[in-house]
Amino acid sequence: MPPIRRWTQLATKTLVDRWWMTLRQDRVRLPNGHVLDEYHVVEYPDWACALALTGDGQAVLVEQYRYGVDRVALELPAGMIDPGEAPEVAARRELLEETGYRAPRWTRLGALAVEPGRHTNSGHLFVARDAHAVADPTPEATEDLRVRLVPAASLPALVEAGRIAHGIHAAAVFWALAKGLLDEPRSATGVQGVHSRPQLPGPMQKEQQTLLVSVNVEEHDGVDAHMTEIGRKVGQGWTVIQAIPLSGEEAGPGGQSEDFMRYQVTVEREIDADNVVVGADRGGAADLKDVGQVSGAFDEGIPGDDA
């Protein structure tokens, strides 16, 4: 059997040339003689990402909206490698900038081609252990990020459920799992729902959760009425800081008209120095209400989290 041969570039022209991306159109001849008059290649810089694990078995993730797939997803802290910068240095920098965390122990997993058919770049993957918060995040102006802590053991299930959507980040999770690098939690604690990292020590702390909330459209018409109903459902002590429509007649292009609207809601509450929830009755319990409609990031909580 003859070896697989390379394609031959017959001509090339640049269509887009930016500091962060070049799009070129090539004319290529395949080994069998067939000619492709237009074959597009995107030249991107390499990037690095960190699968950061705390000492108590939590993974440090970021949650953000991705325009290409038009949804909010969980990701590993990651970013472009600057010219002349070593991949690990870039991974450490991105972890600090996006999450405010540092880690003393780093293990290189390797590098993977992002899309080998048409993209020229690679993602460099690292596992960072004993990660701990040292500062507030300092994201770029184009980044709207939320730092989330989830049990490291739940990462594969988050990939399977589609909450971690980036293919290379998913590969980092399973690569680290195969190497046994997710099996080091010390007195790990389960987390219900997807939580943000604790605030730096101080008299008050904030806690966040991401929920799914259903609102009856016929009984509560209009966005303002929906927000009022969502506030009633999540209970006292919690404040709604973000609500993203996921389904129903107000979900935007592609949404189907239904009898209810489903929102992805981020709620926040403050806890004082005596561990009492601020603004809640019953001694500060501030439980989430209507659990049948208000849940964690999944209807049954994080898959695989039995705590």
Side-chain angles (χ1 to χ4, degrees):
M1 182 177 292
I4 296 176
R5 291 178 292 167
R6 301 177 63 179
W7 297 5
T8 301
Q9 185 187 80
L10 302 176
T12 185
K13 66 178 178 179
T14 299
L15 303 180
V16 178
D17 189 7
R18 300 290 186 269
W19 68 269
W20 57 276
M21 180 270 285
T22 298
L23 172 63
R24 71 173 199 258
Q25 178 178 298
D26 292 352
R27 186 170 185 266
V28 298
R29 183 173 62 240
L30 278 58
N32 63 5
H34 183 74
V35 174
L36 300 176
D37 290 323
E38 293 187 5
Y39 192 87
H40 297 95
V41 176
V42 185
E43 299 177 0
Y44 284 119
D46 282 7
W47 50 269
C49 72
L51 199 174
L53 307 172
T54 66
D56 62 353
Q58 306 295 309
V60 184
L61 306 180
V62 292
E63 188 175 30
Q64 60 183 319
Y65 171 77
R66 286 305 193 183
Y67 182 79
V69 295
D70 190 26
R71 65 188 179 95
V72 176
L74 292 167
E75 297 184 359
L76 307 182
M80 186 178 68
I81 299 173
D82 291 335
E85 188 178 34
E88 183 178 323
V89 173
R92 289 175 179 266
R93 172 176 52 76
E94 291 293 339
L95 176 63
L96 180 61
E97 290 176 357
E98 294 190 354
T99 70
Y101 277 73
R102 281 200 178 108
R105 298 196 294 152
W106 288 75
T107 300
R108 176 179 171 81
L109 291 173
L112 296 175
V114 176
E115 204 292 275
R118 296 184 182 275
H119 293 188
T120 62
N121 66 332
S122 295
H124 299 257
L125 313 179
F126 296 86
V127 174
R129 285 170 287 181
D130 292 336
H132 55 282
V134 297
D136 289 325
T138 56
E140 298 178 1
T142 57
E143 296 176 321
D144 181 15
L145 307 176
R146 302 293 183 273
V147 181
R148 307 297 190 200
L149 294 184
V150 304
S154 74
L155 291 175
L158 289 172
V159 174
E160 293 177 3
R163 289 287 283 124
I164 296 176
H166 196 302
I168 303 299
H169 294 193
V173 168
F174 290 108
W175 200 345
L177 181 65
K179 285 181 169 288
L181 298 176
L182 296 185
D183 298 330
E184 289 193 345
R186 294 190 296 276
S187 62
T189 57
V191 178
Q192 298 295 325
V194 180
H195 291 254
S196 68
R197 70 175 176 89
Q199 301 297 307
L200 297 177
M204 301 288 291
Q205 293 194 5
K206 291 183 179 180
E207 179 186 4
Q208 289 183 359
Q209 289 198 41
T210 299
L211 319 164
L212 294 180
V213 182
S214 297
V215 177
N216 188 293
V217 173
E218 295 180 357
E219 295 180 2
H220 308 284
D221 293 330
V223 174
D224 290 341
H226 292 181
M227 294 304 103
T228 300
E229 178 64 7
I230 289 171
R232 186 191 69 79
K233 287 177 179 291
V234 300
Q236 297 184 25
W238 293 97
T239 300
V240 177
I241 61 175
Q242 183 183 54
I244 302 173
L246 299 179
S247 64
E249 60 185 14
E250 292 184 46
Q256 298 181 354
S257 179
E258 300 176 76
D259 293 335
F260 65 91
M261 284 280 294
R262 172 164 284 189
Y263 286 86
Q264 176 179 293
V265 177
T266 301
V267 294
E268 182 178 83
R269 67 180 180 181
E270 288 188 326
I271 302 174
D272 64 20
D274 295 323
N275 203 31
V276 174
V277 177
V278 177
D281 294 334
R282 303 184 312 279
D287 294 329
L288 294 170
K289 298 181 179 178
D290 297 341
V291 177
Q293 293 182 324
V294 180
S295 66
F298 301 88
D299 288 341
E300 301 298 332
I302 290 180
D305 182 11
D306 298 325

